[in-house]
Amino acid sequence: MTSDQVQIVTMAAAAAVAVGAVGLLAAWLLRHRSIRWQLGIVVVVTIGAVLGGVLGVSHKMFISHHDWEVVSLVAVVAGGVALVVALALGAAISQWSEALRRGARALDAHGSYVADPRGPSELQALSEELARTSERLEQARIREARLEGSRRELVSWVSHDLRTPLAGMRAMTEALEDGIATDPARYHRQIRTEVDRMVRMVDDLFELSRIHAGVVQIRPEAVMLGDLVSEAIAAADPVARACGVRLDGRVEEGVEVTGDAGGLARVTTNLIMNAIRHTPADGSVEVLGRSTPSGIELAVRDECGGLSADPIARVFDVGWRDQAAAHVHAVGDDLRGAGLGLAIVKGIVEAHQGDVRVENVGAPVPSGCRFMVRLPAR
């Protein structure tokens, strides 16, 4: 590079740096103004740097005044056009950003937002993200509404299930106090039965509150799946016999699951009791356990006659009970629940990083339901 070229580059750089510094200061002072000002500053700095460089070089290189005027006029005209384009582009960007702001206000006020395909890719990406946020909020509102409905149903069911035995216990205690009870021993047994049932209900409520609070303690240990199923079947068999329901179970040999023994036992028991509760007399309940490539699978099949779409979607909600599918057994009150058992099952399974679902079995008319618990391999 020749000495003249070095001088030209040096003077042009000095002019550009000086104009750029002024432009940066102006941009900082106007940083809270519209983007149109920022774009205008970019154009002004560009043209100013060119004019400053031309002015410095013209004096050094003895460019004629006429030539300097020609160059200056060309730069000013080009700068004016560039400034108009920049202001127009800034106005367009401002309109697109204003549309996004209106959409954000609509999302805040009404909870809905429709993506706007206009504008540069960055604004379009932001618009699409707002639309996805709107969808997630709508889903959250639906879940919240369903949970609120479940809470109301739970309060209603629990109030009913507590009021009825309390009224009966009060009547029996008054009869015992007045000495008019014909069979005091039977009254005492009935009171004890009602107390035990209410204790189980309170225990379920406490367990559910711990699940929702996220304070369920999982003490993992190796448990044989066959032992879990056999113990649950042994405990539920008297109830199944009283209801006229056949209860059977099969588990692959040597299948081991790692998890909280008490929690998994409660899951198995709740699923089996729920199946017995909804299976008519002379029906059957089958429990199957096996190992899969992804983990452990436990299935409980009943003969409830199947569920429609809405019950399947709500079966694990707190306080939900399907009166249409429930059958009246001889033991009646022993099988009544407050709609907490399956919600507890879902909470415990998810605390083990697993999932539980329900599906109808039988075609073309469903004959029953299958509850499927999947636990990951450890």
Side-chain angles (χ1 to χ4, degrees):
M1 182 180 292
T2 64
S3 60
D4 290 342
Q5 291 175 331
V6 171
Q7 291 180 7
I8 292 172
V9 170
T10 302
M11 287 185 291
V17 169
V19 175
V22 175
L24 285 176
L25 177 61
W28 185 82
L29 294 174
L30 300 175
R31 63 189 182 279
H32 298 305
R33 304 296 293 271
S34 172
I35 193 173
R36 285 175 289 186
W37 289 89
Q38 308 296 327
L39 292 175
I41 289 173
V42 171
V43 173
V44 171
V45 168
T46 302
I47 301 303
V50 172
L51 290 177
V54 170
L55 180 61
V57 171
S58 66
H59 287 291
K60 185 66 177 177
M61 304 303 293
F62 303 105
I63 297 176
S64 67
H65 183 70
H66 176 269
D67 293 341
W68 184 86
E69 286 182 349
V70 171
V71 173
S72 300
L73 288 174
V74 171
V76 169
V77 172
V81 173
L83 183 61
V84 171
V85 172
L87 293 177
L89 180 59
I93 293 177
S94 297
Q95 291 178 357
W96 294 327
S97 62
E98 178 61 26
L100 279 176
R101 186 168 61 178
R102 289 196 300 269
R105 285 198 297 265
L107 178 62
D108 177 63
H110 308 293
S112 62
Y113 178 83
V114 179
D116 189 349
R118 298 178 302 168
S121 59
E122 291 82 2
L123 294 182
Q124 291 183 27
L126 178 58
S127 179
E128 291 171 359
E129 185 61 33
L130 285 175
R132 287 192 291 268
T133 301
S134 174
E135 293 177 0
R136 290 194 292 269
L137 288 175
E138 181 63 24
Q139 294 171 0
R141 278 192 296 272
I142 293 174
R143 288 195 299 269
E144 182 63 25
R146 193 170 69 180
L147 287 174
E148 183 60 29
S150 298
R151 293 189 188 99
R152 288 195 295 267
E153 290 179 355
L154 173 62
V155 172
S156 175
W157 286 117
V158 170
S159 300
H160 176 270
D161 288 350
L162 289 177
R163 187 187 307 113
T164 301
L166 286 173
M169 291 167 60
R170 181 174 183 176
M172 286 185 285
T173 55
E174 290 176 350
L176 290 171
E177 289 176 352
D178 296 339
I180 60 175
T182 56
D183 188 354
R186 183 176 67 85
Y187 276 37
H188 285 123
R189 289 193 300 272
Q190 184 64 29
I191 291 174
R192 177 60 181 270
T193 299
E194 296 293 349
V195 169
D196 289 342
R197 189 164 69 86
M198 288 189 292
V199 168
R200 289 196 300 270
M201 187 184 304
V202 172
D203 288 343
D204 285 347
L205 286 170
F206 177 70
E207 181 68 19
L208 196 62
S209 68
R210 292 174 66 245
I211 290 172
H212 286 172
V215 296
V216 177
Q217 294 183 353
I218 302 298
R219 298 179 177 87
E221 58 180 294
V223 183
M224 298 303 297
L225 185 60
D227 294 341
L228 280 176
V229 173
S230 61
E231 291 174 4
I233 289 177
D237 188 63
V239 179
R241 291 180 181 275
C243 296
V245 175
R246 296 183 301 277
L247 183 58
D248 186 27
R250 297 195 307 274
V251 178
E252 290 181 358
E253 291 290 337
V255 177
E256 189 177 80
V257 58
T258 301
D260 186 81
L264 295 178
R266 187 162 195 172
V267 166
T268 308
T269 300
N270 283 9
L271 288 176
I272 292 175
M273 294 301 294
N274 178 76
I276 296 173
R277 180 184 299 120
H278 292 85
T279 299
D282 297 329
S284 65
V285 171
E286 185 178 30
V287 185
L288 299 175
R290 64 189 183 112
S291 176
T292 66
S294 60
I296 307 300
E297 187 176 272
L298 176 67
V300 179
R301 181 195 57 79
D302 59 36
E303 293 185 354
C304 66
L307 294 172
S308 58
D310 182 65
I312 282 183
R314 300 188 57 202
V315 71
F316 294 106
D317 288 354
V318 176
W320 182 85
R321 293 195 293 194
D322 186 12
Q323 290 179 311
H327 298 275
V328 179
H329 294 290
V331 291
D333 290 344
D334 292 337
L335 284 180
R336 276 199 337 235
L340 304 178
L342 294 180
I344 291 175
V345 166
K346 180 178 175 65
I348 294 176
V349 170
E350 290 181 348
H352 283 79
Q353 308 301 316
D355 68 273
V356 58
R357 60 185 177 86
V358 59
E359 61 185 8
N360 287 326
V361 293
V365 179
S367 60
C369 293
R370 179 189 292 115
F371 286 82
M372 194 82 67
V373 174
R374 289 190 175 94
L375 298 173
R378 300 290 184 178

